[in-house]
């Protein structure tokens, strides 16, 4: 075999190897995208449902904010009221526990928000003191009754005043879910009272990571 033919065969072999590597890389990339799509599409039965939307509220510092104020973050949102004796503190503490266990590269992408359904008593000052009991990064939102009604409608939240027996005070009945929202205010998951902090941490971590890879 002439030297020229040997060189030609070597070049052809090298070209075939390079082509095989390109094909393998493309297959790996496609598989990665398929895996991401699977996580995002099957991670929650709530994706694509009509939950969440625009809102205008007042934060615990008395500053007017809207959903656009949190557009760079994923959100963990809980609706309740500061006079709630047990359920709200329990669920907020669970949300904080889940948040604190998030991986360090994901935690800065997530914002915890507590929305009051009792604006009559939950002023910005009250909300400021309340959310600080749980975590310094938690944001408390309140506002006018109309603003609260509007965000309740967007998030399909139930709440109603219930007077005590003497009719001298009231409590508030309300639905109890932790909403996991995307950066563009689309529902990603809805955690019930039976959801553990570990489940929330795991689901949020997986879905944020998957969406960041897309």
């Amino acid at each position: 075999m002439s030297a020229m033919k040997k060189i030609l065969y070597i070049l052809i072999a090298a070209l075939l190897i390079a082509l095989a590597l390109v094909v393998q890389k493309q297959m790996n990339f496609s598989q990665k995208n398929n895996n991401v799509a699977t996580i995002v599409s099957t991670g929650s039965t709530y994706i694509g449902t009509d939950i969440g939307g625009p809102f205008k509220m007042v934060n615990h510092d008395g500053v007017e904010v809207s959903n656009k104020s949190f557009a760079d973050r994923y959100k963990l949102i809980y609706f309740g009221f500061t006079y709630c004796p047990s359920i709200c503190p329990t669920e907020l503490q669970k949300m904080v526990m889940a948040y604190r266990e998030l991986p360090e590269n994901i935690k800065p992408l997530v914002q915890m928000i507590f929305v009051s359904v009792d604006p009559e008593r939950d002023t910005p000052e009250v909300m400021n003191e309340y959310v600080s009991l749980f975590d310094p990064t938690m944001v408390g939102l309140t506002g006018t009754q109309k603003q609260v009604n509007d965000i309740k409608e967007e998030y399909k939240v139930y709440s109603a005043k219930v007077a005590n027996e003497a009719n001298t005070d009231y409590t508030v009945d309300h639905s109890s879910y932790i909403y996991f929202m995307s950066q563009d205010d689309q529902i990603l998951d809805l955690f019930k009272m039976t959801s553990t902090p570990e489940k929330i941490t795991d689901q949020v971590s997986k879905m944020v990571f998957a969406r960041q890879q897309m």
Side-chain angles (χ1 to χ4, degrees):
M1 182 182 296
S2 67
M4 185 62 69
K5 284 186 177 181
K6 286 183 179 179
I7 293 174
L8 181 60
Y9 288 149
I10 291 172
L11 290 175
I12 292 174
L15 181 61
L16 290 174
I17 291 171
L19 182 60
L21 290 174
V22 170
V23 171
Q24 183 62 45
K25 184 176 181 180
Q26 183 62 37
M27 290 176 64
N28 290 340
F29 179 77
S30 297
Q31 183 62 45
K32 179 181 179 182
N33 280 350
N34 288 338
N35 290 341
V36 169
T38 299
I39 291 172
V40 173
S41 63
T42 64
S44 167
T45 58
Y46 300 101
I47 292 178
T49 57
D50 186 24
I51 297 176
F55 61 80
K56 291 184 179 180
M57 304 286 287
V58 177
N59 71 14
H60 63 260
D61 290 322
V63 178
E64 292 186 357
V65 297
S66 72
N67 56 299
K68 295 180 180 179
S69 304
F70 309 99
D72 61 335
R73 303 283 190 91
Y74 294 87
K75 277 81 66 178
L76 286 170
I77 304 176
Y78 184 76
F79 290 80
F81 64 113
T82 64
Y83 283 72
C84 183
S86 59
I87 294 177
C88 297
T90 300
E91 292 303 289
L92 287 173
Q93 187 59 42
K94 181 169 69 178
M95 185 167 74
V96 169
M97 291 172 63
Y99 170 79
R100 289 179 177 173
E101 292 302 316
L102 290 173
E104 291 304 316
N105 63 321
I106 289 179
K107 192 181 297 181
L109 303 176
V110 180
Q111 176 65 60
M112 293 184 292
I113 300 175
F114 173 53
V115 182
S116 173
V117 295
D118 183 20
E120 183 178 333
R121 294 182 295 193
D122 290 343
T123 63
E125 293 77 15
V126 171
M127 292 290 281
N128 193 321
E129 182 177 355
Y130 190 75
V131 296
S132 67
L133 298 174
F134 295 93
D135 190 273
T137 67
M138 184 182 293
V139 172
L141 297 183
T142 186
T144 65
Q145 188 63 59
K146 182 182 185 307
Q147 288 175 324
V148 171
N149 290 343
D150 287 346
I151 192 172
K152 282 170 52 182
E153 182 176 352
E154 292 288 351
Y155 281 79
K156 311 297 185 287
V157 173
Y158 162 79
S159 73
K161 282 186 179 181
V162 179
N164 63 12
E165 292 183 0
N167 203 31
T168 57
D169 201 358
Y170 67 90
T171 186
V172 181
D173 278 348
H174 63 91
S175 50
S176 182
Y177 298 99
I178 296 174
Y179 296 74
F180 177 38
M181 309 299 295
S182 69
Q183 293 165 313
D184 57 350
D185 302 311
Q186 301 298 310
I187 184 73
L188 296 178
D189 213 335
L190 194 63
F191 300 109
K192 303 176 182 179
M193 292 176 63
T194 54
S195 299
T196 64
E198 293 77 15
K199 176 182 178 180
I200 298 172
T201 299
D202 182 63
Q203 183 72 342
V204 170
S205 299
K206 286 180 178 178
M207 296 193 76
V208 171
F209 176 78
R211 293 174 72 88
Q212 293 300 108
Q213 304 306 306
M214 296 179 69

